[in-house]
Amino acid sequence: MKLAVALSLFATASAFTVPMQQPSAATRSITAATSKTATTTRSSKTALQMAKQTPHGGKLVNLMTDDVDAAVAKCSAEVQLTPRQLCDVELIMNGGFSPLTGFMDEATYKNVVENMELPDSGLVFGLPVVFDTDSEDLQPGQTVLLKDGDRPIATVEFTDKFSPDKPLECLKCYGTASIEHPGALMVATERGQYYMGGKVTGLNVPVRDFPCKSPEEVRATLPDDKDVVAFQCRNPVHRAHYELFTRALDDPLVGEGGVVLVHPTCGPTQADDIPGDVRYKTYVVLKEETHNDRTRWEYLPYSMHMAGPREAIQHMMIRKNFGCTHFIIGRDMAGSKSSVTGEDFYGAYDAQDFAKENAERLGVTPVPSLNLVYTEEDGYVTADEAEERGLSTKKLSGTKFRKMLRSGEDIPEWFAFKSVVQVLRENS
């Protein structure tokens, strides 16, 4: 069945897919999904919120129950969660996806896909959060136990079951229905033929190789009177990344005394990305090597969609729930390339532009990332400054870096931290 869906998506590519030679056209399709505007204002802290930023929708959701046995007793069936579903369940039950209290029903799913907002409230929401299945046995009205191996994670009271329009979902969310896009490929070949909505009750936090604090726990560690700038990444942090997020605190958009929350995603991502547990190990050693009171490190159990502009909105919304007031938007954030031609699906600044358009209604301030280059004379400076002053720049491509990593060659410290390189080699 999934193969048939994949072939269907591929067959509809000519009707849905934006031409690859026009990378920013994908964003035009995405932008068309948003038409309403709203203003989100910040309120003073509460004991629960702790941090300066107000949760999305005004209240931080916490669906964890104290009576696990009673919740399990209501279940008539059990389901093993996929790695992606496990991430989604955790963020639903701990409030990372606030104001959601469960998997989206059909009406909510359609509104998020087509309008990028929740029905009734009109709150912006970047991507749909769905429970997918191929099971004919699962039906609305059932309460089902969701497990990760032997560990009970949550229960879900299913309210509806529907067949999604996957080509439309991909076109609206990813800007293309071509299975050359990793997100569209995931929807076509990994997700089941049915989606089901339902209310979630949290039982236990998943056991992971990396600790993932809840929004409430992270907020308790953040200053309640300072700006908090989130930095999202899905790869090991190298020198340019470090310079980028530490210098973001000097941006005029950020208030005095602000802090950076480095908040990498450690869940499933593209097939050729470094595994989450290895990424986590690189973050641990880098945190120790670069200890700085204005830099905080936490980890997010989120599965990447590589959805470019729409995913930038999703990340901003999630970090808002974790207490962040600002969000660094890098060049080609959450971007992806065609698996066939290697062409980019999005323009380099599409995500930044889309974030700026939606910043007010989301209530998070985007901070454009600096385009930094390394120079022999002055280390890292902006590309514009290097050109203006005629400085000598050095470059090392990702392909060359990976080749040097495999062969054991010395990797220049201006490009990568020694501690990070060591972890990558030990786990290659």
Side-chain angles (χ1 to χ4, degrees):
M1 182 65 190
K2 290 180 182 178
L3 177 59
V5 174
L7 291 174
S8 174
L9 279 175
F10 183 78
T12 58
S14 60
F16 288 117
T17 306
V18 193
M20 292 297 295
Q21 65 269 26
Q22 300 176 19
S24 62
T27 300
R28 290 199 291 273
S29 173
I30 292 168
T31 305
T34 59
S35 57
K36 297 181 181 179
T37 59
T39 301
T40 303
T41 58
R42 296 175 183 158
S43 64
S44 59
K45 69 167 185 173
T46 67
L48 175 64
Q49 293 168 7
M50 296 301 289
K52 179 179 181 179
Q53 176 65 281
T54 302
H56 201 43
K59 181 180 179 181
L60 194 62
V61 169
N62 183 344
L63 302 177
M64 302 300 294
T65 183
D66 293 325
D67 197 344
V68 173
D69 292 339
V72 172
K74 297 178 182 179
C75 298
S76 60
E78 64 179 52
V79 172
Q80 283 290 328
L81 293 165
T82 67
R84 287 185 181 273
Q85 289 174 336
L86 185 63
C87 289
D88 287 345
V89 168
E90 185 169 0
L91 290 175
I92 291 172
M93 64 189 195
N94 73 13
F97 281 144
S98 292
L100 293 190
T101 56
F103 289 102
M104 294 179 178
D105 59 20
E106 185 172 15
T108 304
Y109 161 78
K110 286 183 174 180
N111 214 55
V112 169
V113 166
E114 297 188 28
N115 303 312
M116 205 179 75
E117 65 183 26
L118 299 176
D120 300 327
S121 68
L123 283 171
V124 64
F125 209 99
L127 296 167
V129 179
V130 298
F131 182 87
D132 66 287
T133 183
D134 283 320
S135 173
E136 301 290 346
D137 296 329
L138 296 179
Q139 294 297 327
Q142 280 184 292
T143 299
V144 174
L145 179 62
L146 306 178
K147 299 180 72 174
D148 179 31
D150 294 330
R151 187 173 179 82
I153 301 299
T155 67
V156 57
E157 302 171 46
F158 286 127
T159 56
D160 66 346
K161 185 176 187 177
F162 57 99
S163 298
D165 185 340
K166 290 188 175 183
L168 180 64
E169 176 186 343
C170 292
L171 177 64
K172 292 290 187 178
C173 295
Y174 307 130
T176 176
S178 169
I179 58 174
E180 295 174 28
H181 186 291
L185 181 64
M186 178 273 292
V187 170
T189 63
E190 291 183 27
R191 281 189 178 164
Q193 61 178 314
Y194 304 115
Y195 291 173
M196 301 186 72
K199 186 180 186 306
V200 167
T201 298
L203 307 179
N204 294 291
V205 175
V207 176
R208 301 182 181 278
D209 293 326
F210 43 91
C212 295
K213 290 181 181 178
S214 70
E216 185 175 349
E217 291 170 330
V218 172
R219 282 172 169 269
T221 70
L222 300 175
D224 58 10
D225 59 349
K226 304 294 183 184
D227 287 338
V228 180
V229 184
F231 177 72
Q232 143 70 22
C233 59
R234 70 175 205 279
N235 288 309
V237 172
H238 294 312
R239 288 280 182 181
H241 303 123
Y242 182 78
E243 293 291 334
L244 187 155
F245 67 68
T246 53
R247 296 186 189 197
L249 294 175
D250 297 325
D251 192 288
L253 294 171
V254 180
E256 185 176 354
V259 300
V260 169
L261 176 65
V262 185
H263 205 204
T265 55
C266 294
T269 179
Q270 291 190 115
D272 59 349
D273 278 351
I274 294 169
D277 59 334
V278 177
R279 278 178 271 151
Y280 168 66
K281 292 175 183 177
T282 68
Y283 303 140
V284 170
V285 296
L286 188 57
K287 177 183 176 181
E288 295 173 355
E289 182 176 341
T290 62
H291 177 72
N292 184 335
D293 289 339
R294 295 184 70 190
T295 303
R296 315 294 173 86
W297 296 75
E298 300 295 347
Y299 309 99
L300 184 71
Y302 175 85
S303 61
M304 292 291 295
H305 291 251
M306 313 313 298
R310 285 281 289 253
E311 189 146 35
I313 301 301
Q314 193 84 334
H315 280 296
M316 291 170 71
M317 180 204 71
I318 293 170
R319 283 7 182 268
K320 178 183 180 181
N321 285 326
F322 277 85
C324 299
T325 57
H326 295 64
F327 188 85
I328 299 171
I329 302 286
R331 293 179 74 254
D332 194 26
M333 179 181 173
S336 57
K337 299 177 184 294
S338 164
S339 58
V340 176
T341 67
E343 293 291 323
D344 291 319
F345 277 102
Y346 314 110
Y349 299 101
D350 286 354
Q352 288 187 8
D353 293 341
F354 199 55
K356 290 176 184 177
E357 291 172 20
N358 289 277
E360 185 176 10
R361 66 187 298 224
L362 186 54
V364 178
T365 302
V367 179
S369 65
L370 297 172
N371 184 14
L372 298 175
V373 295
Y374 183 80
T375 65
E376 294 180 355
E377 297 87 350
D378 279 343
Y380 280 99
V381 301
T382 64
D384 289 341
E385 181 181 349
E387 183 178 359
E388 182 181 322
R389 295 172 55 195
L391 303 179
S392 302
T393 61
K394 287 188 174 183
K395 294 182 179 180
L396 181 62
S397 69
T399 301
K400 176 64 174 175
F401 168 69
R402 289 188 291 272
K403 182 178 178 181
M404 294 172 71
L405 196 64
R406 290 192 297 268
S407 65
E409 293 179 63
D410 287 337
I411 294 173
E413 290 189 50
W414 62 261
F415 182 84
F417 293 91
K418 276 189 174 182
S419 58
V420 172
V421 170
Q422 183 177 348
V423 169
L424 293 174
R425 282 182 169 153
E426 290 173 351
N427 291 273
S428 61

PDB file of all heavy atoms in Angstrom, residues 12-44:
ATOM      1  N   THR A  12       1.817  12.273  -9.347  1.00  0.00           N
ATOM      2  CA  THR A  12       1.216  13.604  -9.275  1.00  0.00           C
ATOM      3  C   THR A  12       2.250  14.707  -9.236  1.00  0.00           C
ATOM      4  O   THR A  12       1.906  15.875  -9.186  1.00  0.00           O
ATOM      5  CB  THR A  12       0.333  13.725  -8.017  1.00  0.00           C
ATOM      6  OG1 THR A  12       1.139  13.450  -6.872  1.00  0.00           O
ATOM      7  CG2 THR A  12      -0.837  12.775  -8.068  1.00  0.00           C
ATOM      8  N   ALA A  13       3.534  14.347  -9.295  1.00  0.00           N
ATOM      9  CA  ALA A  13       4.582  15.360  -9.165  1.00  0.00           C
ATOM     10  C   ALA A  13       4.467  16.443 -10.229  1.00  0.00           C
ATOM     11  O   ALA A  13       4.702  17.618  -9.969  1.00  0.00           O
ATOM     12  CB  ALA A  13       5.959  14.703  -9.229  1.00  0.00           C
ATOM     13  N   SER A  14       4.077  16.041 -11.458  1.00  0.00           N
ATOM     14  CA  SER A  14       3.990  17.051 -12.515  1.00  0.00           C
ATOM     15  C   SER A  14       2.897  18.064 -12.231  1.00  0.00           C
ATOM     16  O   SER A  14       2.981  19.201 -12.655  1.00  0.00           O
ATOM     17  CB  SER A  14       3.714  16.355 -13.863  1.00  0.00           C
ATOM     18  OG  SER A  14       2.489  15.635 -13.800  1.00  0.00           O
ATOM     19  N   ALA A  15       1.878  17.634 -11.504  1.00  0.00           N
ATOM     20  CA  ALA A  15       0.790  18.555 -11.190  1.00  0.00           C
ATOM     21  C   ALA A  15       1.075  19.389  -9.954  1.00  0.00           C
ATOM     22  O   ALA A  15       0.642  20.512  -9.850  1.00  0.00           O
ATOM     23  CB  ALA A  15      -0.505  17.761 -10.978  1.00  0.00           C
ATOM     24  N   PHE A  16       1.820  18.789  -8.996  1.00  0.00           N
ATOM     25  CA  PHE A  16       2.013  19.453  -7.712  1.00  0.00           C
ATOM     26  C   PHE A  16       3.381  20.073  -7.543  1.00  0.00           C
ATOM     27  O   PHE A  16       3.544  21.043  -6.822  1.00  0.00           O
ATOM     28  CB  PHE A  16       1.806  18.449  -6.561  1.00  0.00           C
ATOM     29  CG  PHE A  16       0.380  18.051  -6.364  1.00  0.00           C
ATOM     30  CD1 PHE A  16      -0.015  16.738  -6.535  1.00  0.00           C
ATOM     31  CD2 PHE A  16      -0.570  18.985  -5.999  1.00  0.00           C
ATOM     32  CE1 PHE A  16      -1.330  16.360  -6.329  1.00  0.00           C
ATOM     33  CE2 PHE A  16      -1.883  18.620  -5.798  1.00  0.00           C
ATOM     34  CZ  PHE A  16      -2.265  17.309  -5.968  1.00  0.00           C
ATOM     35  N   THR A  17       4.408  19.490  -8.146  1.00  0.00           N
ATOM     36  CA  THR A  17       5.774  19.895  -7.844  1.00  0.00           C
ATOM     37  C   THR A  17       6.152  21.194  -8.510  1.00  0.00           C
ATOM     38  O   THR A  17       5.874  21.415  -9.678  1.00  0.00           O
ATOM     39  CB  THR A  17       6.762  18.806  -8.298  1.00  0.00           C
ATOM     40  OG1 THR A  17       6.376  17.583  -7.712  1.00  0.00           O
ATOM     41  CG2 THR A  17       8.175  19.152  -7.891  1.00  0.00           C
ATOM     42  N   VAL A  18       6.823  22.051  -7.741  1.00  0.00           N
ATOM     43  CA  VAL A  18       7.334  23.299  -8.269  1.00  0.00           C
ATOM     44  C   VAL A  18       8.606  23.007  -9.047  1.00  0.00           C
ATOM     45  O   VAL A  18       9.400  22.172  -8.633  1.00  0.00           O
ATOM     46  CB  VAL A  18       7.665  24.260  -7.119  1.00  0.00           C
ATOM     47  CG1 VAL A  18       7.899  25.652  -7.644  1.00  0.00           C
ATOM     48  CG2 VAL A  18       6.523  24.281  -6.122  1.00  0.00           C
ATOM     49  N   PRO A  19       8.832  23.630 -10.210  1.00  0.00           N
ATOM     50  CA  PRO A  19      10.051  23.362 -10.973  1.00  0.00           C
ATOM     51  C   PRO A  19      11.301  23.550 -10.140  1.00  0.00           C
ATOM     52  O   PRO A  19      11.448  24.523  -9.425  1.00  0.00           O
ATOM     53  CB  PRO A  19       9.973  24.400 -12.113  1.00  0.00           C
ATOM     54  CG  PRO A  19       8.507  24.703 -12.252  1.00  0.00           C
ATOM     55  CD  PRO A  19       7.958  24.598 -10.873  1.00  0.00           C
ATOM     56  N   MET A  20      12.233  22.625 -10.276  1.00  0.00           N
ATOM     57  CA  MET A  20      13.427  22.646  -9.450  1.00  0.00           C
ATOM     58  C   MET A  20      14.330  23.831  -9.735  1.00  0.00           C
ATOM     59  O   MET A  20      15.097  24.249  -8.892  1.00  0.00           O
ATOM     60  CB  MET A  20      14.226  21.345  -9.653  1.00  0.00           C
ATOM     61  CG  MET A  20      13.521  20.112  -9.116  1.00  0.00           C
ATOM     62  SD  MET A  20      13.306  20.221  -7.333  1.00  0.00           S
ATOM     63  CE  MET A  20      15.010  20.194  -6.824  1.00  0.00           C
ATOM     64  N   GLN A  21      14.251  24.393 -10.939  1.00  0.00           N
ATOM     65  CA  GLN A  21      15.123  25.527 -11.230  1.00  0.00           C
ATOM     66  C   GLN A  21      14.628  26.806 -10.578  1.00  0.00           C
ATOM     67  O   GLN A  21      15.258  27.836 -10.680  1.00  0.00           O
ATOM     68  CB  GLN A  21      15.260  25.727 -12.749  1.00  0.00           C
ATOM     69  CG  GLN A  21      13.965  26.124 -13.455  1.00  0.00           C
ATOM     70  CD  GLN A  21      13.200  24.911 -13.949  1.00  0.00           C
ATOM     71  OE1 GLN A  21      13.335  23.832 -13.398  1.00  0.00           O
ATOM     72  NE2 GLN A  21      12.415  25.083 -15.005  1.00  0.00           N
ATOM     73  N   GLN A  22      13.479  26.751  -9.893  1.00  0.00           N
ATOM     74  CA  GLN A  22      12.956  27.921  -9.196  1.00  0.00           C
ATOM     75  C   GLN A  22      12.789  27.576  -7.727  1.00  0.00           C
ATOM     76  O   GLN A  22      11.686  27.360  -7.233  1.00  0.00           O
ATOM     77  CB  GLN A  22      11.602  28.336  -9.779  1.00  0.00           C
ATOM     78  CG  GLN A  22      11.678  28.701 -11.262  1.00  0.00           C
ATOM     79  CD  GLN A  22      10.311  29.008 -11.818  1.00  0.00           C
ATOM     80  OE1 GLN A  22       9.374  29.296 -11.083  1.00  0.00           O
ATOM     81  NE2 GLN A  22      10.177  28.947 -13.129  1.00  0.00           N
ATOM     82  N   PRO A  23      13.898  27.469  -6.970  1.00  0.00           N
ATOM     83  CA  PRO A  23      13.821  26.971  -5.606  1.00  0.00           C
ATOM     84  C   PRO A  23      12.897  27.750  -4.698  1.00  0.00           C
ATOM     85  O   PRO A  23      12.256  27.181  -3.840  1.00  0.00           O
ATOM     86  CB  PRO A  23      15.273  27.065  -5.104  1.00  0.00           C
ATOM     87  CG  PRO A  23      15.950  28.040  -6.017  1.00  0.00           C
ATOM     88  CD  PRO A  23      15.266  27.870  -7.340  1.00  0.00           C
ATOM     89  N   SER A  24      12.808  29.070  -4.839  1.00  0.00           N
ATOM     90  CA  SER A  24      11.982  29.833  -3.921  1.00  0.00           C
ATOM     91  C   SER A  24      10.498  29.692  -4.232  1.00  0.00           C
ATOM     92  O   SER A  24       9.659  30.128  -3.461  1.00  0.00           O
ATOM     93  CB  SER A  24      12.364  31.315  -3.963  1.00  0.00           C
ATOM     94  OG  SER A  24      12.137  31.840  -5.257  1.00  0.00           O
ATOM     95  N   ALA A  25      10.148  29.064  -5.350  1.00  0.00           N
ATOM     96  CA  ALA A  25       8.738  28.885  -5.674  1.00  0.00           C
ATOM     97  C   ALA A  25       8.044  27.976  -4.675  1.00  0.00           C
ATOM     98  O   ALA A  25       6.847  28.071  -4.458  1.00  0.00           O
ATOM     99  CB  ALA A  25       8.583  28.303  -7.087  1.00  0.00           C
ATOM    100  N   ALA A  26       8.811  27.075  -4.051  1.00  0.00           N
ATOM    101  CA  ALA A  26       8.207  26.219  -3.034  1.00  0.00           C
ATOM    102  C   ALA A  26       7.627  27.056  -1.908  1.00  0.00           C
ATOM    103  O   ALA A  26       6.574  26.744  -1.359  1.00  0.00           O
ATOM    104  CB  ALA A  26       9.255  25.247  -2.472  1.00  0.00           C
ATOM    105  N   THR A  27       8.310  28.140  -1.600  1.00  0.00           N
ATOM    106  CA  THR A  27       7.824  29.002  -0.529  1.00  0.00           C
ATOM    107  C   THR A  27       6.579  29.761  -0.955  1.00  0.00           C
ATOM    108  O   THR A  27       5.725  30.053  -0.146  1.00  0.00           O
ATOM    109  CB  THR A  27       8.919  29.985  -0.101  1.00  0.00           C
ATOM    110  OG1 THR A  27      10.028  29.238   0.356  1.00  0.00           O
ATOM    111  CG2 THR A  27       8.441  30.889   1.018  1.00  0.00           C
ATOM    112  N   ARG A  28       6.444  30.065  -2.259  1.00  0.00           N
ATOM    113  CA  ARG A  28       5.239  30.748  -2.702  1.00  0.00           C
ATOM    114  C   ARG A  28       4.018  29.869  -2.454  1.00  0.00           C
ATOM    115  O   ARG A  28       2.957  30.344  -2.072  1.00  0.00           O
ATOM    116  CB  ARG A  28       5.351  31.123  -4.188  1.00  0.00           C
ATOM    117  CG  ARG A  28       6.358  32.222  -4.444  1.00  0.00           C
ATOM    118  CD  ARG A  28       6.105  32.876  -5.793  1.00  0.00           C
ATOM    119  NE  ARG A  28       6.403  31.992  -6.899  1.00  0.00           N
ATOM    120  CZ  ARG A  28       7.607  31.868  -7.438  1.00  0.00           C
ATOM    121  NH1 ARG A  28       8.627  32.544  -6.960  1.00  0.00           N
ATOM    122  NH2 ARG A  28       7.808  31.054  -8.453  1.00  0.00           N
ATOM    123  N   SER A  29       4.191  28.541  -2.670  1.00  0.00           N
ATOM    124  CA  SER A  29       3.095  27.625  -2.382  1.00  0.00           C
ATOM    125  C   SER A  29       2.798  27.600  -0.896  1.00  0.00           C
ATOM    126  O   SER A  29       1.654  27.573  -0.472  1.00  0.00           O
ATOM    127  CB  SER A  29       3.467  26.215  -2.865  1.00  0.00           C
ATOM    128  OG  SER A  29       2.504  25.282  -2.449  1.00  0.00           O
ATOM    129  N   ILE A  30       3.852  27.620  -0.078  1.00  0.00           N
ATOM    130  CA  ILE A  30       3.691  27.587   1.363  1.00  0.00           C
ATOM    131  C   ILE A  30       3.064  28.882   1.859  1.00  0.00           C
ATOM    132  O   ILE A  30       2.156  28.891   2.677  1.00  0.00           O
ATOM    133  CB  ILE A  30       5.053  27.352   2.045  1.00  0.00           C
ATOM    134  CG1 ILE A  30       5.535  25.935   1.728  1.00  0.00           C
ATOM    135  CG2 ILE A  30       4.979  27.550   3.533  1.00  0.00           C
ATOM    136  CD1 ILE A  30       6.976  25.689   2.096  1.00  0.00           C
ATOM    137  N   THR A  31       3.545  30.014   1.346  1.00  0.00           N
ATOM    138  CA  THR A  31       3.060  31.307   1.796  1.00  0.00           C
ATOM    139  C   THR A  31       1.575  31.463   1.508  1.00  0.00           C
ATOM    140  O   THR A  31       0.847  32.103   2.266  1.00  0.00           O
ATOM    141  CB  THR A  31       3.841  32.444   1.102  1.00  0.00           C
ATOM    142  OG1 THR A  31       5.229  32.244   1.336  1.00  0.00           O
ATOM    143  CG2 THR A  31       3.430  33.794   1.637  1.00  0.00           C
ATOM    144  N   ALA A  32       1.114  30.861   0.424  1.00  0.00           N
ATOM    145  CA  ALA A  32      -0.296  30.981   0.071  1.00  0.00           C
ATOM    146  C   ALA A  32      -1.205  30.359   1.115  1.00  0.00           C
ATOM    147  O   ALA A  32      -2.392  30.654   1.175  1.00  0.00           O
ATOM    148  CB  ALA A  32      -0.549  30.305  -1.283  1.00  0.00           C
ATOM    149  N   ALA A  33      -0.627  29.504   1.967  1.00  0.00           N
ATOM    150  CA  ALA A  33      -1.440  28.844   2.990  1.00  0.00           C
ATOM    151  C   ALA A  33      -1.759  29.760   4.154  1.00  0.00           C
ATOM    152  O   ALA A  33      -2.603  29.446   4.979  1.00  0.00           O
ATOM    153  CB  ALA A  33      -0.713  27.606   3.508  1.00  0.00           C
ATOM    154  N   THR A  34      -1.104  30.894   4.255  1.00  0.00           N
ATOM    155  CA  THR A  34      -1.348  31.795   5.382  1.00  0.00           C
ATOM    156  C   THR A  34      -1.971  33.077   4.886  1.00  0.00           C
ATOM    157  O   THR A  34      -1.482  33.719   3.976  1.00  0.00           O
ATOM    158  CB  THR A  34      -0.041  32.122   6.122  1.00  0.00           C
ATOM    159  OG1 THR A  34       0.854  32.722   5.199  1.00  0.00           O
ATOM    160  CG2 THR A  34       0.587  30.875   6.689  1.00  0.00           C
ATOM    161  N   SER A  35      -3.058  33.473   5.503  1.00  0.00           N
ATOM    162  CA  SER A  35      -3.728  34.695   5.066  1.00  0.00           C
ATOM    163  C   SER A  35      -4.134  35.585   6.224  1.00  0.00           C
ATOM    164  O   SER A  35      -4.305  36.780   6.048  1.00  0.00           O
ATOM    165  CB  SER A  35      -4.980  34.330   4.248  1.00  0.00           C
ATOM    166  OG  SER A  35      -5.838  33.521   5.010  1.00  0.00           O
ATOM    167  N   LYS A  36      -4.339  34.988   7.421  1.00  0.00           N
ATOM    168  CA  LYS A  36      -4.816  35.784   8.544  1.00  0.00           C
ATOM    169  C   LYS A  36      -3.653  36.319   9.349  1.00  0.00           C
ATOM    170  O   LYS A  36      -2.575  35.783   9.351  1.00  0.00           O
ATOM    171  CB  LYS A  36      -5.704  34.924   9.445  1.00  0.00           C
ATOM    172  CG  LYS A  36      -6.960  34.417   8.746  1.00  0.00           C
ATOM    173  CD  LYS A  36      -7.795  33.593   9.706  1.00  0.00           C
ATOM    174  CE  LYS A  36      -9.039  33.069   9.022  1.00  0.00           C
ATOM    175  NZ  LYS A  36      -9.854  32.238   9.931  1.00  0.00           N
ATOM    176  N   THR A  37      -3.887  37.386  10.043  1.00  0.00           N
ATOM    177  CA  THR A  37      -2.876  37.935  10.935  1.00  0.00           C
ATOM    178  C   THR A  37      -3.458  38.056  12.325  1.00  0.00           C
ATOM    179  O   THR A  37      -4.652  38.235  12.516  1.00  0.00           O
ATOM    180  CB  THR A  37      -2.415  39.335  10.469  1.00  0.00           C
ATOM    181  OG1 THR A  37      -3.537  40.190  10.427  1.00  0.00           O
ATOM    182  CG2 THR A  37      -1.760  39.267   9.108  1.00  0.00           C
ATOM    183  N   ALA A  38      -2.591  37.940  13.299  1.00  0.00           N
ATOM    184  CA  ALA A  38      -2.996  38.086  14.695  1.00  0.00           C
ATOM    185  C   ALA A  38      -1.821  38.615  15.460  1.00  0.00           C
ATOM    186  O   ALA A  38      -0.701  38.587  14.991  1.00  0.00           O
ATOM    187  CB  ALA A  38      -3.455  36.737  15.262  1.00  0.00           C
ATOM    188  N   THR A  39      -2.085  39.122  16.633  1.00  0.00           N
ATOM    189  CA  THR A  39      -1.017  39.663  17.453  1.00  0.00           C
ATOM    190  C   THR A  39      -0.915  38.860  18.730  1.00  0.00           C
ATOM    191  O   THR A  39      -1.905  38.662  19.403  1.00  0.00           O
ATOM    192  CB  THR A  39      -1.284  41.132  17.794  1.00  0.00           C
ATOM    193  OG1 THR A  39      -1.396  41.854  16.573  1.00  0.00           O
ATOM    194  CG2 THR A  39      -0.142  41.700  18.626  1.00  0.00           C
ATOM    195  N   THR A  40       0.278  38.345  19.015  1.00  0.00           N
ATOM    196  CA  THR A  40       0.502  37.615  20.245  1.00  0.00           C
ATOM    197  C   THR A  40       1.296  38.498  21.178  1.00  0.00           C
ATOM    198  O   THR A  40       2.336  39.020  20.810  1.00  0.00           O
ATOM    199  CB  THR A  40       1.297  36.324  19.972  1.00  0.00           C
ATOM    200  OG1 THR A  40       0.586  35.547  19.019  1.00  0.00           O
ATOM    201  CG2 THR A  40       1.485  35.520  21.245  1.00  0.00           C
ATOM    202  N   THR A  41       0.810  38.707  22.366  1.00  0.00           N
ATOM    203  CA  THR A  41       1.505  39.545  23.327  1.00  0.00           C
ATOM    204  C   THR A  41       2.037  38.706  24.453  1.00  0.00           C
ATOM    205  O   THR A  41       1.517  37.644  24.765  1.00  0.00           O
ATOM    206  CB  THR A  41       0.556  40.604  23.903  1.00  0.00           C
ATOM    207  OG1 THR A  41      -0.549  39.947  24.512  1.00  0.00           O
ATOM    208  CG2 THR A  41       0.066  41.539  22.804  1.00  0.00           C
ATOM    209  N   ARG A  42       3.103  39.191  25.084  1.00  0.00           N
ATOM    210  CA  ARG A  42       3.709  38.481  26.193  1.00  0.00           C
ATOM    211  C   ARG A  42       3.058  38.935  27.501  1.00  0.00           C
ATOM    212  O   ARG A  42       2.771  40.103  27.692  1.00  0.00           O
ATOM    213  CB  ARG A  42       5.199  38.758  26.250  1.00  0.00           C
ATOM    214  CG  ARG A  42       5.928  38.228  25.035  1.00  0.00           C
ATOM    215  CD  ARG A  42       7.385  38.629  25.073  1.00  0.00           C
ATOM    216  NE  ARG A  42       8.035  38.174  23.855  1.00  0.00           N
ATOM    217  CZ  ARG A  42       9.148  38.698  23.373  1.00  0.00           C
ATOM    218  NH1 ARG A  42       9.723  39.691  23.992  1.00  0.00           N
ATOM    219  NH2 ARG A  42       9.683  38.226  22.280  1.00  0.00           N
ATOM    220  N   SER A  43       2.835  37.995  28.379  1.00  0.00           N
ATOM    221  CA  SER A  43       2.287  38.317  29.685  1.00  0.00           C
ATOM    222  C   SER A  43       3.350  38.106  30.731  1.00  0.00           C
ATOM    223  O   SER A  43       4.398  37.537  30.467  1.00  0.00           O
ATOM    224  CB  SER A  43       1.073  37.424  29.975  1.00  0.00           C
ATOM    225  OG  SER A  43       1.475  36.071  30.061  1.00  0.00           O
ATOM    226  N   SER A  44       3.056  38.560  31.960  1.00  0.00           N
ATOM    227  CA  SER A  44       4.016  38.374  33.029  1.00  0.00           C
ATOM    228  C   SER A  44       4.096  36.902  33.390  1.00  0.00           C
ATOM    229  O   SER A  44       3.206  36.116  33.115  1.00  0.00           O
ATOM    230  CB  SER A  44       3.586  39.193  34.243  1.00  0.00           C
ATOM    231  OG  SER A  44       2.296  38.794  34.662  1.00  0.00           O
TER     232      SER A  44
END
